[in-house]
């Protein structure tokens, strides 16, 4: 690199002094001009040479020998059918496809009666045109170019001692084969028009011409004969989003063509040299990239999970691979770039939904812990209560009794960092929260949602100013809220028309019910205060931010007691029943006292006990109703006995119901079910 820099500096030094010598030589030759003219002329020359140094200009020289066919000329007896001549064009290329410059030529057209002329008489009319030319060139194929142009100016026609000046016009088109980027040979066809004493409609010579052209292109800026790539990253790479960068650009790649001609079919891909990408991913394509031009394409990458090795900020050494064609020849250029990477725990709160990446239902540690908690839950489940709520209780109490605590992150506290989209926050993965047995409110929420999702319970979260609230879907329709809750004041009904229960992570240590009620109060407060907060449905967020599923791969030992967990959940259920079913039970009991006993009121009271899972309280109430001849009560007693696997007792109740109503569907179905069970045994 040092040698290259020195060579460049020397080249610049020599070039600069050559420019000075040329400029001063020209200035010395115009001493005859007046003082003001010399100053103006010198300034223009200096400016031109300076511009030539910094600008890439392509000079074009083209020589075209031609045969002319002047058969369109008015007065058909003027010329023979064939003449000859040619043009020399010089110009510069503009906008890669246009060229502007000067043109000059010479044509000899034999006179029609040349054989009858005397020896001292000229047998040809000679035309000497000069003028300006405007043309365009296209490159539909690697080595084939198509060109078209128009030119005009003034010309001189000479025959013997006669001389005449007239305007002339020319329109031409052609195709050429490029031998190399500088030299091309082609065929041209033109329409020529030399006027006589007017601008139009009075031609002196008019017709077609055809010729062979040889074109040479000289680039004032030297080409290195290569293609280079440079990259600019919008920000460091966040490992947690490693799957997203495959479709969402992390920056921009700039491809610069410094070959000797335009390049085609450019394919740009990214790979790394240390295994941080899973494959060489194509970033984009460029159909044509002109010489000395630069084009930008998005920088995307197919990162592998090895990117989670970045426990601290670091860099990835990568390569941009450019495959392209130069005049039909395939070439490859490789440029090294550096991609900066944040450590695996860092993120920003620009979009709270991005936290979904941290929620992993398939991480080994999460699956092992949730499997244990669900195993405990299934041994104590109450059939009358909502299944999702009971599972959530066991997950919540399992976390709490495992010793996991809510502790504010001293370095990046949730209360401050989640409100500033520019701050880098440190978020723990579920296994880290389990290992440390502590985390900030968002860390606990991520673990809670991971455990819930692992047992098939849909989750969401709300970020308020000083709390992180996890919501889980009970899958109970809002129309059936009265079957499980005393109204809807303590639940959340979302667009899916399902009942969701919120849990405050700040109140993890206070148990499931207190966490639930604290979350309700927080949501009510922010709604009444009209404060901003974020709600994120995890299933929707995952469609944009898929889970990273990062795991340590090691078992995390969490000491929990099955009895302590079941006792804690029983306490939660008791409080839930008292709060949600207690008022309804009390209301029915008061009606019985005031209105007197009836099968309808007893059945209503018994149903409330069943929904609350209080079968021991429901049985005597249904028995009272059954004595009054209530068939629904008999069926319910049969159902309860079946659940308790007291099949003979269940058969007895179904038969009693059928004695009163032989066509009762519920009793018949129950009877058939029990008989099948007994036959199976």
């Amino acid at each position: 690199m040092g040698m290259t820099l020195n060579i460049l500096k020397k080249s610049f030094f020599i070039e600069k002094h050559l420019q000075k010598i040329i400029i001063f030589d020209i200035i010395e030759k115009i001493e005859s001009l007046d003082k003001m003219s010399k100053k103006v002329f010198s300034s223009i020359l200096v400016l031109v040479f300076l511009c030539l140094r910094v600008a890439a200009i392509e000079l074009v020289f083209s020589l075209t020998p031609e045969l002319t066919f002047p058969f369109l000329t008015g007065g058909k007896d003027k010329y023979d059918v064939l003449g000859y001549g040619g043009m020399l064009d010089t110009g510069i290329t503009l906008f890669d496809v246009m060229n502007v410059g000067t043109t000059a030529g010479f044509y000899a057209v034999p006179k029609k009666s040349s054989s009858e002329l005397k020896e001292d008489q000229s047998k040809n009319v000679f035309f000497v045109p000069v003028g300006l030319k405007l043309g365009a060139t296209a490159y539909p194929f690697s080595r084939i170019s198509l060109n078209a142009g128009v030119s005009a100016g003034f010309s001189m026609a000479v025959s013997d001692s006669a001389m005449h000046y007239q305007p002339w016009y020319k329109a031409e088109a052609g195709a050429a084969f490029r031998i190399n980027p500088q030299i091309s040979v082609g065929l041209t066809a033109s329409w020529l028009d030399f006027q006589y004493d007017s601008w139009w409609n009075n031609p002196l010579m008019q017709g077609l011409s055809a010729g062979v052209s040889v074109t040479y292109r000289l680039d004032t800026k030297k080409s290195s004969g290569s293609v280079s790539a440079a990259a600019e990253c919008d920000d460091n790479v966040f490992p947690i989003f490693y799957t997203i960068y495959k479709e969402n650009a992390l920056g921009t790649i700039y491809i610069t063509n410094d070959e000797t001609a335009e390049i085609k079919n450019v394919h740009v891909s990214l790979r790394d040299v240390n295994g941080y990408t899973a494959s060489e991913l194509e970033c984009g394509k460029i159909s044509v990239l002109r010489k000395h031009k630069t084009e930008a394409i998005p920088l995307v990458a197919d990162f592998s999970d090895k990117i989670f090795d970045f426990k601290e900020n670091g860099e990835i050494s990568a390569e941009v691979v450019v495959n392209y064609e130069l005049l039909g020849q395939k070439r490859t250029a490789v440029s090294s770039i550096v991609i900066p990477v944040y450590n695996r725990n860092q993120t920003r709160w620009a979009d709270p939904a991005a936290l979904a990446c941290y929620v992993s239902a398939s991480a080994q540690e999460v699956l092992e812990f949730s499997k244990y908690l669900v195993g405990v839950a299934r041994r104590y489940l109450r059939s009358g209560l909502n299944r999702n709520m009971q599972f959530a209780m066991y997950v919540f109490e399992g976390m709490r009794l495992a010793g996991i605590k809510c502790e504010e992150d001293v370095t990046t506290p949730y209360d401050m960092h989640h409100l500033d989209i520019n701050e880098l926050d440190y978020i723990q993965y579920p296994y880290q929260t389990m290992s440390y047995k502590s985390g900030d409110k968002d860390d606990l929420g991520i673990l809670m949602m991971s455990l819930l999702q692992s047992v098939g319970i849909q989750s969401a979260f709300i970020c308020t100013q000083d709390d992180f609230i996890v919501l889980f879907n009970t899958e109970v329709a809002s129309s059936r809220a009265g079957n499980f809750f005393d109204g809807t004041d303590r639940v959340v009904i979302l667009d899916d028309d399902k009942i969701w229960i919120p849990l405050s992570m700040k109140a993890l240590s206070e148990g499931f019910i207190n966490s639930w009620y604290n979350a309700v109060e927080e949501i009510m407060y922010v709604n009444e205060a009209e404060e901003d907060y974020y709600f994120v449905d995890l299933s929707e967020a995952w469609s944009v931010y898929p889970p990273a599923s990062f795991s340590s791969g090691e078992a995390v030992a969490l000491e929990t007691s099955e009895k302590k967990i079941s006792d804690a959940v029983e306490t939660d259920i008791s409080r839930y029943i008292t709060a949600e079913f207690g008022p309804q039970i009390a209301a029915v009991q008061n009606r019985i006292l005031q209105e007197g006993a009836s099968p309808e009121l007893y059945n209503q009271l018994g149903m409330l006990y069943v929904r609350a899972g209080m079968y021991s309280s429901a049985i005597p109430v249904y028995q009272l109703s059954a004595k009054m001849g209530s068939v629904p009560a008999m069926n319910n007693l049969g159902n309860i006995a079946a659940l308790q696997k007291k099949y003979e007792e269940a058969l007895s109740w179904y038969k009693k119901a059928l004695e009163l109503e032989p066509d009762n569907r519920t009793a018949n179905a129950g009877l058939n079910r029990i008989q099948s069970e007994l036959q199976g045994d």
Side-chain angles (χ1 to χ4, degrees):
M1 179 60 73
M3 181 64 71
T4 303
L5 287 174
N6 289 337
I7 291 172
L8 287 174
K9 288 179 181 177
K10 289 178 181 177
S11 299
F12 172 74
F13 180 81
I14 294 171
E15 181 182 2
K16 185 176 180 181
H17 280 269
L18 282 174
Q19 289 175 3
K20 287 184 178 179
I21 293 171
I22 294 171
I23 292 171
F24 287 129
D25 182 60
I26 294 175
I27 292 176
E28 287 176 359
K29 292 181 180 180
I30 57 174
E31 289 294 334
S32 60
L33 296 174
D34 60 82
K35 188 175 182 181
M36 181 60 69
S37 298
K38 285 192 289 184
K39 285 184 178 181
V40 173
F41 190 64
S42 301
S43 299
I44 294 173
L45 285 174
V46 171
L47 182 61
V48 169
F49 275 96
L50 289 176
C51 290
L52 285 174
R53 183 193 171 278
V54 298
I57 298 176
E58 186 178 64
L59 305 178
V60 182
F61 304 92
S62 182
L63 177 63
T64 308
E66 294 178 298
L67 295 176
T68 60
F69 306 91
F71 59 85
L72 295 177
T73 305
K76 296 181 180 179
D77 296 334
K78 283 186 179 180
Y79 305 106
D80 205 343
V81 295
L82 184 66
Y84 61 91
M87 300 292 289
L88 175 63
D89 302 329
T90 62
I92 61 173
T93 300
L94 299 176
F95 312 114
D96 299 318
V97 295
M98 294 182 62
N99 53 77
V100 177
T102 61
T103 183
F106 175 82
Y107 291 97
V109 182
K111 297 177 182 178
K112 183 69 174 178
S113 56
S114 59
S115 59
E116 301 175 1
L117 296 176
K118 298 179 180 179
E119 292 185 1
D120 59 344
Q121 289 181 311
S122 176
K123 298 181 179 182
N124 298 292
V125 177
F126 300 102
F127 295 89
V128 182
V130 295
L132 299 177
K133 180 178 180 178
L134 174 65
T137 303
Y139 300 94
F141 307 101
S142 296
R143 288 187 176 271
I144 301 297
S145 64
L146 301 178
N147 54 77
V150 293
S151 51
F154 287 91
S155 67
M156 178 177 66
V158 179
S159 179
D160 293 323
S161 60
M163 185 179 296
H164 188 272
Y165 296 94
Q166 64 277 319
W168 70 278
Y169 313 98
K170 184 179 184 182
E172 63 183 85
F177 176 80
R178 293 197 288 178
I179 300 173
N180 57 44
Q182 290 78 36
I183 300 174
S184 60
V185 177
L187 300 175
T188 64
S190 308
W191 174 78
L192 276 170
D193 184 351
F194 290 85
Q195 290 292 307
Y196 184 59
D197 56 1
S198 66
W199 292 97
W200 305 103
N201 299 323
N202 188 16
L204 178 61
M205 193 276 282
Q206 192 178 66
L208 299 178
S209 66
V212 177
S213 65
V214 179
T215 303
Y216 177 75
R217 297 176 180 273
L218 175 63
D219 196 344
T220 60
K221 182 178 180 180
K222 292 183 178 180
S223 299
S224 64
S226 64
V227 173
S228 61
E232 182 179 304
C233 295
D234 300 329
D235 196 356
N236 291 20
V237 169
F238 291 95
I240 186 64
F241 304 139
Y242 79 102
T243 58
I244 298 175
Y245 293 116
K246 194 172 182 178
E247 308 235 343
N248 297 272
L250 59 99
T252 306
I253 297 175
Y254 298 96
I255 307 298
T256 300
N257 176 18
D258 203 24
E259 284 281 12
T260 52
E262 81 285 349
I263 58 177
K264 294 187 175 183
N265 299 323
V266 184
H267 293 254
V268 183
S269 58
L270 180 76
R271 69 187 182 195
D272 83 299
V273 295
N274 296 314
Y276 290 109
T277 58
S279 65
E280 183 175 316
L281 182 66
E282 184 171 271
C283 300
K285 302 176 184 178
I286 305 171
S287 57
V288 178
L289 182 57
R290 300 294 179 185
K291 184 171 55 174
H292 302 313
K293 298 297 182 181
T294 298
E295 189 159 333
I297 61 173
L299 172 57
V300 294
D302 181 18
F303 290 117
S304 69
D305 57 7
K306 188 183 176 184
I307 199 169
F308 288 109
D309 291 346
F310 284 93
K311 298 179 182 179
E312 303 294 337
N313 293 358
E315 294 179 339
I316 294 176
S317 297
E319 293 177 338
V320 176
V321 181
V322 184
N323 294 298
Y324 61 96
E325 293 179 7
L326 176 68
L327 298 185
Q329 181 182 8
K330 293 183 178 181
R331 294 190 177 187
T332 299
V334 179
S335 300
S336 297
I337 64 170
V338 174
I339 300 175
V341 183
Y342 286 121
N343 75 64
R344 63 193 182 193
N345 288 93
Q346 285 185 311
T347 189
R348 283 195 178 91
W349 285 83
D351 183 2
L355 257 66
C357 288
Y358 288 91
V359 181
S360 174
S362 60
Q364 178 182 336
E365 302 85 357
V366 170
L367 288 173
E368 289 180 357
F369 192 40
S370 66
K371 182 180 179 181
Y372 167 74
L373 295 174
V374 169
V376 175
R378 283 178 176 151
R379 287 191 285 275
Y380 297 93
L381 278 180
R382 296 194 184 187
S383 58
L385 299 180
N386 180 259
R387 186 181 181 86
N388 282 6
M389 177 182 285
Q390 292 182 79
F391 277 143
M393 287 178 174
Y394 278 93
V395 167
F396 187 97
E397 298 297 353
M399 282 179 54
R400 181 177 69 85
L401 294 172
I404 298 174
K405 299 179 181 179
C406 180
E407 294 181 353
E408 185 179 273
D409 190 326
V410 178
T411 307
T412 58
Y414 166 82
D415 291 354
M416 293 177 58
H417 280 64
H418 85 283
L419 297 174
D420 191 339
I421 63 174
N422 297 313
E423 288 286 342
L424 283 170
D425 197 5
Y426 184 96
I427 306 292
Q428 293 178 180
Y429 294 92
Y431 87 90
Q432 291 175 314
T433 303
M434 294 170 66
S435 299
Y436 305 152
K437 291 188 177 181
S438 66
D440 213 332
K441 291 179 276 289
D442 48 358
D443 302 324
L444 299 183
I446 288 169
L447 175 57
M448 181 73 186
M449 288 187 289
S450 299
L451 292 169
L452 290 172
Q453 291 288 153
S454 71
V455 298
I457 299 177
Q458 187 180 0
S459 307
F461 65 89
I462 291 175
C463 304
T464 65
Q465 288 193 9
D466 61 351
D467 203 352
F468 189 94
I469 297 172
V470 172
L471 300 94
F472 67 89
N473 190 354
T474 65
E475 297 184 7
V476 174
S478 61
S479 59
R480 298 179 61 237
N483 294 346
F484 297 94
F485 304 97
D486 184 27
T488 57
D489 292 340
R490 287 190 287 267
V491 297
V492 177
I493 300 174
L494 298 181
D495 293 338
D496 58 1
D497 200 36
K498 296 292 174 57
I499 292 175
W500 294 61
I501 292 179
L503 298 171
S504 165
M505 294 298 100
K506 184 168 66 172
L508 176 67
S509 61
E510 299 179 27
F512 181 90
I513 299 299
N514 284 354
S515 174
W516 174 9
Y517 292 168
N518 285 348
V520 171
E521 290 180 3
E522 178 71 8
I523 293 173
M524 291 176 61
Y525 171 78
V526 296
N527 281 331
E528 291 174 1
E530 296 184 352
E531 292 183 1
D532 293 331
Y533 64 88
Y534 300 101
F535 170 83
V536 178
D537 186 327
L538 204 57
S539 60
E540 294 180 1
W542 271 342
S543 64
V544 181
Y545 301 102
S549 299
F550 178 51
S551 169
S552 66
E554 301 176 359
V556 177
L558 291 174
E559 296 181 3
T560 54
S561 165
E562 179 176 329
K563 186 176 185 308
K564 286 183 178 179
I565 295 175
S566 61
D567 288 348
V569 173
E570 282 300 315
T571 301
D572 292 334
I573 290 176
S574 296
R575 292 184 61 187
Y576 160 69
I577 290 172
T578 301
E580 302 302 329
F581 292 97
Q584 298 181 61
I585 291 172
V588 176
Q589 289 173 337
N590 287 334
R591 286 185 62 188
I592 292 173
L593 291 175
Q594 294 175 5
E595 300 174 17
S598 67
E600 292 77 12
L601 289 175
Y602 279 138
N603 287 341
Q604 189 175 350
L605 181 60
M607 183 57 67
L608 288 171
Y609 283 132
V610 169
R611 288 172 180 169
M614 301 168 66
Y615 297 113
S616 59
S617 299
I619 291 172
V621 174
Y622 279 133
Q623 287 174 342
L624 290 173
S625 181
K627 287 180 181 180
M628 295 178 168
S630 172
V631 172
M634 296 173 188
N635 283 332
N636 285 327
L637 286 167
N639 293 337
I640 293 173
L643 287 172
Q644 296 175 342
K645 296 186 178 181
K646 298 176 181 180
Y647 297 128
E648 295 296 337
E649 183 180 336
L651 282 174
S652 175
W653 284 113
Y654 291 137
K655 288 179 180 178
K656 288 181 180 180
L658 290 172
E659 289 175 1
L660 296 176
E661 293 182 8
D663 296 329
N664 188 276
R665 293 182 180 180
T666 303
N668 278 310
L671 184 65
N672 292 332
R673 186 175 64 252
I674 296 301
Q675 288 175 341
S676 297
E677 289 283 348
L678 291 174
Q679 290 173 2
D681 293 341

